[in-house]
Amino acid sequence: MAFKLFSRFNRRACFAIVILFLLSNHLAAQNTTDFSAQASLSRKPVWISGEHFPVPESEKETGRFDKVVKSGGSILFKTKSPLQYARQTETLSAAFAEGKGLELRSGNGIQLLAIQPDQLISLQSLLMGKVYDPTFFRQVILHADDPSYSSLNRELLSQVLALQLNRMLVKNELLEEFRIEFDSWLVTQQMDNSQNALDPGVAPCGNGMDSKLVHSWKFPASLKTLLGSKNTVRDLQDLAVEVLAGNRQASKTEIEEILNGVRVVNEAFESGRYLLGWSEQFITCSNSWILRWKIKTPALEVPVSQTAYSTGAELKTIAGETRLEINALESSRVLIELYTEKGSRIKKFYHDRLNQGEQVSFIIKKNEKSGSLIYKVTADGRTYSGLIP
């Protein structure tokens, strides 16, 4: 009995001594604080309230996509259509690497479907728009008040699945952050694999037979109402997932607009295309010579460098006059024209043969209303242009 009382007293005394030591020892207290800070940094930030840790505006980082665009870097996206995926079993098998299935859910956690590795045939059917089995998703896709919704939902589902695979399989790290500009033309240019497969360049426009090398797609303006300030490809995909899952109500017209938006993303970069930027007008190879003056964002120079052509152009100011000089580097038939910045032709300067070494010169007359002008030179079926400020 005496031993037990003495033992309890010893324990209490030792505990009191330890507490006093820790409170009086600044080094130990400091070490404890440091460890607590390190532990908090290693945890996920979801439990930390933003009110206690405000982030200054100057320290907020923009997305990776925004940084690349602002730096003027070239962006190459590679996508495939739903049917292209459906026809390539080996590509789909890559989606189930390491025995994992394919899950499609929005950023808010709304799940649309989950496909297991042994359900590859079902995935192919979904990509082809053949949605008849309600095993993988909610009944809203198949059973709607308006029967015409079913086919529309099937098509939207196939496009959303393709977009998911395009983000996963082709390693499009910037694609989900790609920002959509509403009611503008998205302009892209086909890559050229014939030069260097590891570092492909753009495929240049030729004699008009390749109008799709440079092409434009327009996003529906009504998507701005549906997406608001959340205007990235990821936001568009999340919206489509939640509409298909029945978590968000949408009219038939709105579903069609969402479908068109997702389809534009898949088609605009199909088989590998460079992002050139956004334009206020439709751009193809036939008028790509004005692209560099119309584009809103940093872009590749289109068409290819002037050094690849049979003529060379130079602007000179002599005695207060602006002159355009064209030198023939090789013998060829040449067309020289003057346009407004909006693409309307003002004058045809020359349309004849120039022999190697010959030169023609023209005075550029401007008035206050004309603003900047563009000269266009076509030789051997290929075109380049220049801005006259």
Side-chain angles (χ1 to χ4, degrees):
M1 183 68 176
F3 176 78
K4 288 184 180 180
L5 289 174
F6 179 75
S7 177
R8 184 178 300 172
F9 172 80
N10 282 345
R11 288 199 301 270
R12 289 177 179 175
C14 291
F15 181 77
I17 292 171
V18 169
I19 292 298
L20 288 172
F21 173 78
L22 289 175
L23 291 176
S24 62
N25 191 321
H26 296 290
L27 181 60
Q30 181 65 45
N31 288 338
T32 303
T33 303
D34 290 343
F35 176 79
S36 176
Q38 293 171 5
S40 66
L41 289 174
S42 66
R43 298 187 184 117
K44 293 183 179 180
V46 292
W47 62 273
I48 302 177
S49 172
E51 296 178 0
H52 300 293
F53 298 92
V55 179
E57 289 292 331
S58 59
E59 295 182 10
K60 287 184 178 179
E61 291 190 1
T62 56
R64 292 168 298 174
F65 174 79
D66 294 325
K67 287 182 178 179
V68 174
V69 169
K70 288 180 180 178
S71 67
S74 303
I75 302 177
L76 173 65
F77 290 136
K78 297 181 181 180
T79 62
K80 293 181 180 179
S81 68
L83 285 179
Q84 284 176 323
Y85 275 121
R87 292 166 182 163
Q88 297 179 359
T89 307
E90 67 280 1
T91 303
L92 291 179
S93 299
F96 299 124
E98 300 178 0
K100 296 180 180 179
L102 176 66
E103 185 180 69
L104 189 55
R105 65 170 67 234
S106 73
N108 294 328
I110 304 301
Q111 181 174 310
L112 176 62
L113 56 84
I115 301 177
Q116 302 304 317
D118 60 348
Q119 296 171 332
L120 184 61
I121 295 178
S122 298
L123 177 56
Q124 287 178 294
S125 298
L126 295 177
L127 285 165
M128 297 177 70
K130 298 178 179 179
V131 184
Y132 304 109
D133 186 351
T135 304
F136 312 110
F137 41 83
R138 297 186 182 181
Q139 295 282 340
V140 66
I141 296 179
L142 296 177
H143 304 287
D145 295 334
D146 186 345
S148 62
Y149 272 73
S150 297
S151 59
L152 183 60
N153 286 337
R154 284 197 289 268
E155 188 175 358
L156 176 57
L157 177 61
S158 66
Q159 289 289 342
V160 172
L161 269 174
L163 181 57
Q164 177 71 10
L165 291 170
N166 285 330
R167 289 175 50 216
M168 289 172 48
L169 300 184
V170 197
K171 306 302 180 185
N172 285 319
E173 295 180 356
L174 298 178
L175 185 60
E176 67 176 14
E177 295 182 4
F178 176 77
R179 293 194 176 278
I180 301 169
E181 288 193 17
F182 307 102
D183 204 24
S184 295
W185 293 96
L186 167 64
V187 188
T188 67
Q189 184 168 7
Q190 186 67 49
M191 67 177 179
D192 184 7
N193 283 319
S194 62
Q195 299 176 354
N196 187 343
L198 297 178
D199 185 23
V202 293
C205 290
N207 57 8
M209 300 299 291
D210 45 11
S211 60
K212 285 295 184 75
L213 287 178
V214 175
H215 204 67
S216 306
W217 286 263
K218 195 170 190 177
F219 277 88
S222 56
L223 278 178
K224 185 174 183 178
T225 304
L226 294 173
L227 290 173
S229 60
K230 296 182 177 180
N231 61 331
T232 66
V233 167
R234 176 72 211 206
D235 295 322
L236 176 62
Q237 183 176 3
D238 286 350
L239 175 63
V241 167
E242 295 194 6
V243 167
L244 287 172
N247 190 63
R248 178 166 175 173
Q249 295 297 319
S251 66
K252 187 176 181 180
T253 301
E254 289 173 332
I255 296 176
E256 289 175 346
E257 297 301 314
I258 296 171
L259 169 60
N260 288 334
V262 178
R263 185 189 289 124
V264 163
V265 177
N266 289 330
E267 288 185 2
F269 303 104
E270 188 174 312
S271 302
R273 298 179 72 93
Y274 283 94
L275 168 66
L276 297 185
W278 298 88
S279 172
E280 294 176 348
Q281 67 186 88
F282 181 72
I283 299 291
T284 65
C285 264
S286 61
N287 65 345
S288 62
W289 53 272
I290 66 170
L291 179 63
R292 59 203 286 192
W293 319 123
K294 299 296 296 181
I295 217 69
K296 295 180 179 179
T297 55
L300 298 173
E301 194 170 290
V302 178
V304 292
S305 173
Q306 185 175 318
T307 57
Y309 293 85
S310 58
T311 61
E314 187 177 2
L315 284 172
K316 291 184 177 180
T317 302
I318 303 174
E321 291 183 335
T322 300
R323 285 182 171 271
L324 172 64
E325 292 185 355
I326 306 296
N327 299 286
L329 308 177
E330 300 174 11
S331 297
S332 61
R333 188 170 181 83
V334 179
L335 171 63
I336 306 169
E337 301 166 288
L338 186 66
Y339 284 78
T340 66
E341 195 175 6
K342 292 183 178 180
S344 300
R345 191 172 79 167
I346 298 175
K347 190 172 183 178
K348 180 171 73 174
F349 282 132
Y350 186 87
H351 191 196
D352 207 340
R353 183 173 181 81
L354 271 183
N355 294 319
Q356 185 176 5
E358 288 185 340
Q359 180 189 86
V360 288
S361 177
F362 309 95
I363 297 175
I364 306 297
K365 295 182 179 180
K366 297 180 61 177
N367 56 54
E368 295 181 358
K369 295 182 179 180
S370 63
S372 298
L373 300 176
I374 300 172
Y375 67 82
K376 175 188 175 185
V377 180
T378 304
D380 294 330
R382 303 179 69 187
T383 298
Y384 64 87
S385 61
L387 184 65
I388 305 172

